[in-house]
Amino acid sequence: MVEIAAKSQEETKSDFELNVSQNKMRVTLSCSDTVAARNSIAAEIMDQLKKIGIKLLPDIEQLKGLIDDARKESEGLEEFLILEGEPPVMPVDARIEWTGDYFTEGYYVDPETGLIDFRQKICDPCVEEGKLIVIVHESQPGRDGRDVYGNVIKVGRAKSVNLRGGTNVVWSAADKGFRAKIAGRVKLIGSALSVDNVLRVQNGVGTHSGNINHNGQVTIDGDVENEFKVEATGDIEIKGVLLGADITCGGNLVVVDGINGNTSRKIKVKGDVLARYILNASIECEGSIVANKEIFHSNIRVCGEITCTEGRFVGGEVYAAKGFTLGEVGGDGYIKTVLVAGIDYTKLAGIKECEQGTEQLKGILKQLTAASAKLKANQLILNNAQKEVLTEITFKIQEAEEQLGSLEEEKQQIHKEMIADRCAKIEIHGVVHPGVVLRIGDCQHVVNEPLRGPLTAYIDNAT
């Protein structure tokens, strides 16, 4: 506190003190109870306030009331507040609040090992249709203040934000923010906020880009490197080579330079696949596949047709529900190549589950049957508790046998649905090498001698 001289000119020593705070916003009074009780104390204080230049003077009657009330609380006054300035109200700057981590740079760090995963970026710029992307908190103006000397305390202007809606975003007055009109990827260029349905990844997918996850279409100007992931709800176009990466595509997958993959990595496509060649890949495709040059040692499952007429089809066990149109099949050295047409691969998982359930029930039945036989061998000497156990085991055996019957019926039904397309054909224009197996539904032919095309394998429904 800074004490300002407030002494009577007639006296060498004042019997009360007025102190002005360092920030000039408060004036306090210190005096004895006797001085505070004087009838003239309020007028004396008002005179001293004027002498020291105080402009925001209190009402004299209010000042009297303040002093009287203070005297009731304690004897004497010590730094008692009698006057305050008008404090300024600081402005509140406008700000934006993002609802997701759309733009943060950097890569994920494993909290346990501390290792950086250069395949996974921290940010996730993908949004669903209708999602609130950002909230804009408006600025609040401030108000100038005044100190006890009447000096104005200026406050600055509140800062605004420059954010405007671009393509595929809409302002929501209720939310005071922007929402996405479509599913896509959030983009901010300058002050323009937009959502792109098509994401263009320059220089390919690698450590510089991290894994890609996009609600919409993705175009990749380059290769997709090993062990990375690309996920998109729409089409994916790769203008380079797709190496050993995981792909999840909600539309069509186009790979301009071809797929040189790794069978431990999965490529799952809702639509069609078009590639220059396919090597060592594991593909599940709900549409059809066209390879311009060759398909080599790949595990492929498609609901449509596989076409590769210009090159070779070598190795692997490949399912195409609608059939095949191929050039040369197999290779020298009896390379096992199995072509399976007319089978819906999506039903295979159901059959496998039935088979696993059947094996599990057979194991349980074996244990129950053994326990039942042991009890029945001593049936004449069983006590009541043991007889109850035998009854319960007998019931469980019946229940397991019924479940086995149900699983077998379910398996047969799935099998019928799986091989329902008996019109599928395997058309081969070139040579079919030994080691090739041609299978349509439940019928198959093993090629032991070279065959020269063109030839067509199909089921003759008339026989």
Side-chain angles (χ1 to χ4, degrees):
M1 306 287 285
V2 176
E3 182 178 346
I4 306 296
K7 303 180 183 222
S8 170
Q9 294 180 350
E10 292 78 19
E11 297 177 351
T12 58
K13 186 176 181 180
S14 174
D15 54 5
F16 66 87
E17 292 181 355
L18 296 178
N19 293 321
V20 180
S21 64
Q22 190 171 2
N23 63 3
K24 302 177 184 179
M25 294 298 293
R26 294 163 57 93
V27 178
T28 58
L29 167 69
S30 296
C31 66
S32 65
D33 186 64
T34 302
V35 173
R38 287 204 303 253
N39 291 332
S40 61
I41 188 62
E44 294 175 37
I45 291 172
M46 292 290 287
D47 289 341
Q48 288 295 336
L49 289 173
K50 293 175 183 178
K51 287 179 181 179
I52 62 176
I54 302 300
K55 300 298 183 183
L56 296 183
L57 294 172
D59 180 83
I60 190 168
E61 293 301 324
Q62 289 180 343
L63 181 59
K64 287 180 180 178
L66 283 173
I67 295 173
D68 290 341
D69 290 341
R71 290 182 57 232
K72 295 175 184 178
E73 299 292 332
S74 63
E75 292 186 4
L77 305 181
E78 185 69 26
E79 295 292 331
F80 174 67
L81 179 65
I82 61 170
L83 181 61
E84 278 190 292
E86 298 175 0
V89 176
M90 301 306 295
V92 178
D93 293 338
R95 63 185 178 89
I96 56 178
E97 178 186 348
W98 299 103
T99 60
D101 201 349
Y102 304 119
F103 310 109
T104 303
E105 294 294 331
Y107 297 89
Y108 174 77
V109 178
D110 190 304
E112 295 183 0
T113 65
L115 296 177
I116 300 174
D117 185 354
F118 288 103
R119 294 181 295 272
Q120 185 61 47
K121 285 199 165 185
I122 295 173
C123 66
D124 180 10
C126 297
V127 291
E128 298 291 339
E129 180 182 351
K131 179 176 175 58
L132 182 64
I133 303 171
V134 62
I135 301 171
V136 180
H137 297 275
E138 296 179 355
S139 63
Q140 301 293 330
R143 186 182 67 228
D144 293 343
R146 287 196 302 168
D147 63 20
V148 293
Y149 292 104
N151 299 317
V152 176
I153 303 171
K154 299 288 291 183
V155 297
R157 288 186 177 183
K159 295 180 180 179
S160 60
V161 295
N162 186 16
L163 185 68
R164 58 186 177 84
T167 306
N168 297 322
V169 298
V170 62
W171 175 258
S172 170
D175 302 301
K176 295 184 178 180
F178 288 103
R179 288 188 176 273
K181 291 174 67 176
I182 63 170
R185 197 173 184 90
V186 178
K187 182 173 68 175
L188 181 64
I189 299 179
S191 61
L193 176 68
S194 60
V195 175
D196 279 352
N197 192 38
V198 178
L199 168 67
R200 182 173 292 276
V201 183
Q202 297 180 343
N203 303 317
V205 173
T207 54
H208 59 283
S209 67
N211 295 330
I212 302 298
N213 187 330
H214 177 57
N215 291 324
Q217 180 179 338
V218 174
T219 299
I220 299 170
D221 295 329
D223 301 337
V224 178
E225 297 179 9
N226 288 312
E227 298 185 359
F228 282 85
K229 296 179 180 179
V230 179
E231 300 179 19
T233 58
D235 296 343
I236 298 177
E237 181 183 8
I238 301 170
K239 296 187 176 181
V241 177
L242 170 57
L243 298 170
D246 291 313
I247 304 292
T248 302
C249 177
N252 298 322
L253 172 65
V254 177
V255 187
V256 174
D257 286 346
I259 300 172
N260 190 357
N262 183 328
T263 52
S264 66
R265 296 290 174 175
K266 302 298 181 183
I267 299 173
K268 297 184 177 181
V269 182
K270 286 281 187 182
D272 299 331
V273 176
L274 174 62
R276 186 165 177 261
Y277 59 83
I278 300 174
L279 306 179
N280 304 312
S282 179
I283 303 175
E284 291 184 4
C285 171
E286 295 184 23
S288 295
I289 291 180
V290 176
N292 294 333
K293 292 299 181 183
E294 67 176 333
I295 299 176
F296 184 82
H297 285 294
S298 296
N299 296 323
I300 301 175
R301 309 284 188 269
V302 301
C303 293
E305 183 180 2
I306 294 178
T307 302
C308 181
T309 58
E310 299 300 322
R312 296 189 308 158
F313 192 113
V314 183
E317 184 175 86
V318 180
Y319 289 76
K322 301 297 183 182
F324 297 82
T325 303
L326 308 174
E328 183 179 351
V329 181
D332 296 334
Y334 206 90
I335 301 173
K336 187 175 181 179
T337 305
V338 181
L339 307 181
V340 184
I343 290 182
D344 182 355
Y345 81 91
T346 62
K347 305 295 183 182
L348 293 174
I351 289 179
K352 186 175 181 180
E353 287 180 8
C354 289
E355 291 175 344
Q356 290 174 343
T358 297
E359 288 302 313
Q360 185 178 8
L361 282 172
K362 284 181 177 179
I364 294 171
L365 265 175
K366 185 177 180 180
Q367 294 176 354
L368 291 174
T369 303
S372 175
K374 185 176 180 180
L375 288 171
K376 286 180 178 179
N378 300 293
Q379 193 165 8
L380 296 176
I381 59 173
L382 296 180
N383 58 34
N384 290 335
Q386 291 171 325
K387 290 179 180 178
E388 289 181 3
V389 171
L390 178 58
T391 301
E392 184 177 352
I393 290 175
T394 302
F395 174 77
K396 288 183 177 179
I397 289 173
Q398 293 174 348
E399 188 178 50
E401 289 175 343
E402 290 175 359
Q403 289 178 349
L404 274 175
S406 296
L407 280 175
E408 184 59 32
E409 289 178 4
E410 183 180 351
K411 179 182 175 182
Q412 291 177 2
Q413 180 59 36
I414 295 174
H415 188 267
K416 288 179 181 178
E417 295 173 359
M418 185 178 69
I419 62 172
D421 194 351
R422 295 176 62 85
C423 296
K425 295 180 181 180
I426 301 175
E427 297 183 6
I428 302 173
H429 297 168
V431 177
V432 184
H433 294 272
V436 173
V437 178
L438 306 178
R439 183 189 306 166
I440 300 177
D442 289 337
C443 304
Q444 75 173 31
H445 174 75
V446 179
V447 178
N448 294 315
E449 298 292 336
L451 299 176
R452 293 193 175 276
L455 61 85
T456 302
Y458 63 95
I459 294 176
D460 188 351
N461 294 315
T463 59

